[in-house]
Amino acid sequence: MDDIWKYSVDSSVSQLYVEPLYPKTGQQVEIRIQVGLHDRVTEVLLFSFYRGSEHPQACTVEQLGKRKIYSASLEMPDELLRWYFVLLAPDRAYYYSLLGVTASVPSLRDSFSLKPDLVPVSWVGGSTCYQIFPDRFREGDTGVGATPGAYSFDGAAVQSLSFHEKPLSFAEGRCLDFFNGDLKGIEDAIPHFKALGVNVLYLNPIGVSRTTHRYDCCDFFHIDEKLGGDEAFLSLCRSLHEHGIRIIVDISINHTGTEHPWLLAAQRDRGSEEASFYYFNEDGSVACWNDVPTLPQLNYSSPRLRDIIYRGEHSVLRKFLKDPFLQDGWRLDVAPEVGRRGKDQFCEEIWREVRTAVKEENEHAYLVGEDWLDASPFLQGDMWDGSMNYLGCSRPLRSWMGESDRFLSEGWGHDPQPTRAYTGLELAQALESQLSGLPAQMWPMQMNLIDSHDTTRLHANPTLFNFSVYSGCIMLMYLLPGMSCLYYGDEIGLEGPYGSVEASRYPMKWERKEWDDRFYSLYTSLGALRSTYAQLLSAGACKVLYSDEQSLVFARYDHSSALLAVLNKREDAHTVRIPNMMLQAKTVTGSKSGDVLVSEEALLLKLEGGENCIIECRR
């Protein structure tokens, strides 16, 4: 075929093809493209666009194995840089852009683009994160915790349960059913994290509060004594850092709890400064987020509130980033809704100010927003670093399993029903669509997850669960651009029936005989893989190499190596043909090396029925 050469062409906005990927204004940037060793392409031009005009220039070429790498350098302008390539062939000129190889000239929308002066949180992309709901994880200090009947709140009294019991329903417990996991317990579990290859912890809220979820904060500046208080948190931070593990903590600056001193002062005196921190309804009652009566919404029209929360030198968001805690970042609860009520629409303004304040303390502190939808408006480099990637990871992979989407399900999405599962073609489209909607410079900073404290546990689906399909989902999650995030207990197959948020927060089991070793083996092996290939996963390019009705192959690669996640639903043994013209893999290593026949055109992979795997290649 005369056009087979097109399959060898590759470029992207990644460290493989753009150096540096995060240039400063005025810095030289080298931009590259790969073509195969053939005579179809005789010359390559780079067409860049900035300051209102195009700037064509010829590329130089060097050979790398069986690939030609064309490159050109230019000075980074002080605005968005766009470009595409022109490939000169004997029959005509072709173009290479986000659309691939075309005969037509690409639009600016379809051109590659690069922003100047972005400062990446470079440690995120090669990391593996572990999310903990503190009350349900592990008890380490029997001298702290909630005691039965210690107080009443929201129509119920504190109850204390053992780790062998199950969480109460909301009607029974009102979020006061404490298992008394604490920060010392988390510190004691460091060997467990290390075995999983985890080097980042994400903790749900730990501030002073009344409930088990602790989103009803009563004091942003101190750690809940039921968890061990400030000293226990300091000890945890120091121990984690000594073991090379970073820590990010969940916070909601959108609301407080109803027992926060600010609200109590506001209710005593509507003319007080604290009253300006809240919204009030016409009947005089405090306005609450999403009409949840225990979560009064904060009013950021108050400059003083902004100073206390993030602008001031000793503000909440700054305090824990400073010595002695040196916390590594914040997870931002209900982030797209902060600062929004009626005519007040401060959301983007707040996050830009938050970013400025946080980055003044530590430019490598991580800001990750909770967003279930398309987070691209917040991921342009001036607000968050990343989002909890429900849209680009959790939701498509659950659809691959055959769950109906959360937003088409009853009960806040905690009882999704079966539906026709995604085909491999549909999964590829979902992945590519989400990635293309974000600036590629932001891809390495996304937090990829399947389960969280706000979702059902996918492996607990009573009608759909298939371990083989599930294993493929986890393999892909661990290879997507960004940081993979494992929800506590998934590594042991922790139970958690569908139907309520309470069931997604079962207490962790620490007796090894209660673990499902299939899960533990899966997660430990993938954690080791991420550790081995941390640089490739942080800086490498990515591409869907192949998809059909029942399979998908997703690749991460740099100049010398490649990892391929192979998702497969076919129940019979068969051979899948993976295109190799672009990748030019020369050898296959690891456990699948004996099952792959390598040629310049394709990798022929033998699969057993239902087998999902990761292939390690050398280019």
Side-chain angles (χ1 to χ4, degrees):
M1 292 178 10
D2 289 341
D3 62 352
I4 194 170
W5 64 271
K6 298 177 184 177
Y7 296 107
S8 70
V9 182
D10 189 47
S11 189
S12 62
V13 182
S14 65
Q15 292 188 45
L16 180 60
Y17 293 114
V18 178
E19 189 176 2
L21 185 59
Y22 302 96
K24 297 183 182 302
T25 298
Q27 188 173 5
Q28 285 293 307
V29 181
E30 182 176 311
I31 300 175
R32 300 183 286 265
I33 185 172
Q34 169 195 298
V35 300
L37 282 184
H38 49 68
D39 58 5
R40 294 293 297 166
V41 174
T42 58
E43 187 178 357
V44 174
L45 305 175
L46 174 72
F47 272 60
S48 57
F49 295 82
Y50 55 92
R51 294 173 187 163
S53 61
E54 64 182 20
H55 305 269
Q57 60 188 110
C59 295
T60 60
V61 62
E62 63 175 332
Q63 185 172 333
L64 183 63
K66 293 189 176 182
R67 293 163 278 154
K68 290 180 183 177
I69 306 297
Y70 287 87
S71 63
S73 295
L74 68 158
E75 183 178 294
M76 186 68 197
D78 60 354
E79 63 182 52
L80 185 69
L81 171 67
R82 294 185 176 93
W83 72 90
Y84 59 74
F85 296 94
V86 179
L87 312 178
L88 301 181
D91 59 336
R92 64 164 298 121
Y94 294 88
Y95 302 87
Y96 190 82
S97 66
L98 295 174
L99 299 176
V101 178
T102 62
S104 59
V105 180
S107 67
L108 288 181
R109 179 191 61 194
D110 295 321
S111 299
F112 301 106
S113 62
L114 198 69
K115 292 189 174 186
D117 304 314
L118 291 181
V119 179
V121 186
S122 57
W123 54 263
V124 174
S127 294
T128 301
C129 184
Y130 188 96
Q131 181 190 351
I132 294 174
F133 193 82
D135 181 67
R136 307 293 162 84
F137 185 64
R138 184 167 178 162
E139 185 178 35
D141 183 351
T142 58
V144 302
T147 56
Y151 57 86
S152 295
F153 178 73
D154 193 29
V158 169
Q159 301 183 59
S160 179
L161 287 74
S162 77
F163 268 64
H164 297 289
E165 296 181 86
K166 297 179 180 181
L168 302 179
S169 68
F170 179 73
E172 294 175 294
R174 309 292 293 186
C175 299
L176 297 179
D177 51 334
F178 286 89
F179 287 77
N180 287 327
D182 55 38
L183 298 180
K184 179 62 166 60
I186 297 172
E187 185 175 344
D188 291 342
I190 287 176
H192 182 69
F193 307 140
K194 300 287 281 186
L196 291 166
V198 166
N199 51 12
V200 180
L201 292 191
Y202 150 35
L203 306 188
N204 285 116
I206 57 176
V208 178
S209 55
R210 290 303 199 184
T211 66
T212 57
H213 58 69
R214 294 187 168 87
Y215 288 103
D216 59 314
C217 189
C218 301
D219 182 352
F220 287 112
F221 288 91
H222 293 286
I223 309 304
D224 199 327
E225 291 293 340
K226 297 189 291 294
L227 293 171
D230 293 0
E231 289 302 315
F233 184 54
L234 177 57
S235 178
L236 174 61
C237 289
R238 286 175 171 170
S239 293
L240 289 173
H241 289 151
E242 287 171 4
H243 286 86
I245 301 174
R246 291 181 169 89
I247 180 169
I248 61 176
V249 178
D250 200 342
I251 191 169
S252 183
I253 66 169
N254 177 70
H255 48 257
T256 67
T258 51
E259 296 195 6
H260 197 291
W262 296 343
L263 181 61
L264 299 180
Q267 290 171 329
R268 287 192 302 266
D269 180 3
R270 288 289 298 275
S272 66
E273 179 182 63
E274 290 85 353
S276 70
F277 296 174
Y278 294 94
Y279 294 95
F280 290 90
N281 298 314
E282 291 183 2
D283 64 0
S285 62
V286 68
C288 293
W289 170 75
N290 213 27
D291 294 328
V292 178
T294 57
L295 302 177
Q297 185 176 353
L298 289 169
N299 181 350
Y300 281 91
S301 65
S302 165
R304 176 61 179 150
L305 177 63
R306 296 191 188 200
D307 290 342
I308 293 171
I309 295 294
Y310 59 83
R311 286 198 308 210
E313 179 65 22
H314 302 290
S315 59
V316 176
L317 293 187
R318 290 177 185 261
K319 172 182 176 175
F320 292 99
L321 301 179
K322 297 176 184 286
D323 191 56
F325 300 102
L326 298 176
Q327 183 180 305
D328 298 286
W330 292 104
R331 183 266 190 184
L332 309 166
D333 182 53
V334 297
E337 301 174 54
V338 171
R340 299 190 192 276
R341 193 165 195 93
K343 294 181 180 179
D344 286 354
Q345 295 295 320
F346 303 128
C347 189
E348 290 82 0
E349 178 184 312
I350 290 168
W351 291 128
R352 289 188 180 99
E353 292 181 353
V354 165
R355 183 178 185 86
T356 297
V358 165
K359 300 301 181 176
E360 283 177 358
E361 292 300 328
N362 177 3
E363 67 178 5
H364 299 296
Y366 184 46
L367 289 171
V368 56
E370 177 195 14
D371 197 332
W372 294 78
L373 308 175
D374 182 354
S376 59
F378 301 95
L379 296 174
Q380 300 299 317
D382 59 345
M383 287 183 267
W384 315 337
D385 297 308
S387 70
M388 297 181 74
N389 197 12
Y390 289 106
L391 182 65
C393 184
S394 179
R395 291 170 68 182
L397 289 177
R398 285 173 173 268
S399 293
W400 173 248
M401 181 71 82
E403 272 191 5
S404 58
D405 191 74
R406 172 189 177 91
F407 289 93
L408 299 176
S409 304
E410 298 295 328
W412 283 44
H414 286 279
D415 196 18
Q417 299 302 301
T419 190
R420 179 185 66 76
Y422 270 176
T423 66
L425 298 166
E426 290 167 335
L427 178 58
Q429 189 277 330
L431 296 173
E432 292 171 339
S433 174
Q434 195 276 335
L435 286 171
S436 66
L438 298 179
Q441 289 164 288
M442 306 301 287
W443 292 1
M445 291 178 278
Q446 302 316 299
M447 177 186 279
N448 298 312
L449 72 163
I450 293 179
D451 297 341
S452 77
H453 65 292
D454 281 331
T455 72
T456 53
R457 294 184 184 269
L458 181 58
H459 65 256
N461 189 301
T463 57
L464 294 174
F465 181 69
N466 176 301
F467 185 79
S468 295
V469 177
Y470 177 84
S471 67
C473 291
I474 304 305
M475 291 172 188
L476 180 54
M477 180 182 82
Y478 269 61
L479 259 61
L480 287 173
M483 175 171 66
S484 55
C485 186
L486 155 65
Y487 185 42
Y488 83 94
D490 280 356
E491 76 275 24
I492 64 170
L494 184 65
E495 63 182 319
Y498 273 39
S500 72
V501 68
E502 286 75 26
S504 68
R505 302 169 184 180
Y506 268 48
M508 180 69 171
K509 295 179 178 178
W510 289 103
E511 294 183 21
R512 185 64 186 259
K513 65 183 180 181
E514 297 186 271
W515 295 7
D516 187 327
D517 284 332
R518 296 177 301 166
F519 291 84
Y520 190 69
S521 176
L522 173 66
Y523 281 100
T524 53
S525 64
L526 290 174
L529 185 82
R530 279 190 69 88
S531 297
T532 299
Y533 289 97
Q535 181 58 31
L536 182 154
L537 293 169
S538 177
C542 68
K543 180 164 288 194
V544 174
L545 285 184
Y546 176 79
S547 62
D548 61 25
E549 287 294 313
Q550 298 186 77
S551 59
L552 176 138
V553 180
F554 185 84
R556 298 297 309 278
Y557 53 98
D558 58 19
H559 280 306
S560 59
S561 302
L563 296 173
L564 279 58
V566 181
L567 279 63
N568 165 45
K569 288 183 182 176
R570 281 184 56 170
E571 297 180 357
D572 60 315
H574 67 288
T575 298
V576 61
R577 187 180 189 277
I578 304 171
N580 195 33
M581 289 286 292
M582 181 280 291
L583 200 61
Q584 283 298 298
K586 296 185 295 186
T587 59
V588 174
T589 62
S591 61
K592 295 299 292 181
S593 59
D595 297 323
V596 183
L597 180 62
V598 179
S599 71
E600 290 187 15
E601 291 77 25
L603 305 176
L604 300 179
L605 169 65
K606 296 179 181 179
L607 291 173
E608 297 298 324
E611 181 182 5
N612 292 256
C613 62
I614 290 180
I615 303 174
E616 301 172 62
C617 302
R618 297 290 176 263
R619 301 183 71 193

